[in-house]
Amino acid sequence: KNTPGHHDYCFIFIGNRINVLEKILKNDNLELNKIFVLKHSPLHHWIINLELQYELFDLGIDSKETIIEYLKKSNGYLLISNGCPFKLPIKELKTKDNIFINIHPTYLPELKGKTPLNGVLYLKYDFVGATMHFMDDGIDTGNIIYKEKVTIGPDVDQGLIYYLSFL
């Protein structure tokens, strides 16, 4: 811990989806310091029965401002976003000690934005995917860390598309 270049990061999660948070919680080497959960989301219903500390937020401006103020006052963190329903002001929050990562449910650069999975059927894509990328001031435009692509057939429905992409 005291070697040159080593940082002791605080880990923050924000979102509305279960699978990524579930994987993080199973990792004994990573301890989440703060969990922000979208009220009435699948994640909210899942996390209620766990013995975890978390903070609920909604789509109102007050919730967004509270989260941004928390992030501005914190330093030395890695934030993992998975289904955060609003754009974080990365330019305002970014320091040399803060890292922002998003887990996006499509194979970027295809289908960026808030509701990308509807486009898989609408545009008749023959694949689904997911992408982990650094966040920047754009929407789903940061440098890609990792992405996974899965070929699908024409008989796949929207429910299965969501399931596969979130998995």
Side-chain angles (χ1 to χ4, degrees):
K1 287 192 173 191
N2 295 321
T3 58
H6 183 275
H7 295 281
D8 290 322
Y9 279 101
C10 166
F11 292 94
I12 301 169
F13 178 91
I14 183 169
N16 65 23
R17 300 185 194 126
I18 298 167
N19 293 10
V20 171
L21 180 58
E22 187 175 37
K23 296 283 187 210
I24 291 169
L25 293 172
K26 288 179 180 177
N27 185 335
D28 293 334
N29 297 318
L30 197 136
E31 181 180 335
L32 281 167
N33 301 81
K34 188 75 167 179
I35 302 171
F36 291 105
V37 175
L38 180 63
K39 192 181 292 186
H40 305 301
S41 67
L43 180 58
H44 180 198
H45 298 293
W46 177 79
I47 204 169
I48 284 174
N49 296 319
L50 301 181
E51 293 182 15
L52 286 174
Q53 296 236 339
Y54 59 93
E55 186 172 326
L56 290 175
F57 70 93
D58 58 33
L59 298 176
I61 192 72
D62 291 342
S63 280
K64 181 179 178 179
E65 288 176 358
T66 299
I67 291 168
I68 291 169
E69 283 308 308
Y70 173 85
L71 296 173
K72 283 181 179 178
K73 291 177 184 173
S74 302
N75 200 23
Y77 59 83
L78 186 148
L79 179 138
I80 300 166
S81 170
N82 186 225
C84 179
F86 56 82
K87 187 176 178 307
L88 292 169
I90 301 301
K91 188 180 269 185
E92 288 179 41
L93 300 170
K94 185 100 169 114
T95 69
K96 67 178 182 67
D97 294 323
N98 296 341
I99 299 171
F100 300 86
I101 293 176
N102 183 44
I103 312 299
H104 183 75
T106 65
Y107 192 78
L108 292 176
E110 306 292 328
L111 303 173
K112 298 176 184 177
K114 198 172 187 179
T115 56
L117 292 173
N118 298 337
V120 173
L121 280 180
Y122 180 73
L123 298 171
K124 297 183 169 93
Y125 280 32
D126 64 352
F127 64 90
V128 294
T131 305
M132 176 189 296
H133 66 93
F134 290 107
M135 295 168 71
D136 59 18
D137 272 342
I139 296 177
D140 300 322
T141 56
N143 290 336
I144 292 172
I145 300 166
Y146 180 80
K147 58 185 181 175
E148 184 86 18
K149 187 177 194 179
V150 177
T151 302
I152 58 172
D155 58 336
V156 174
D157 67 10
Q158 192 73 12
L160 187 54
I161 287 170
Y162 272 78
Y163 177 79
L164 290 171
S165 295
F166 291 159
L167 187 61

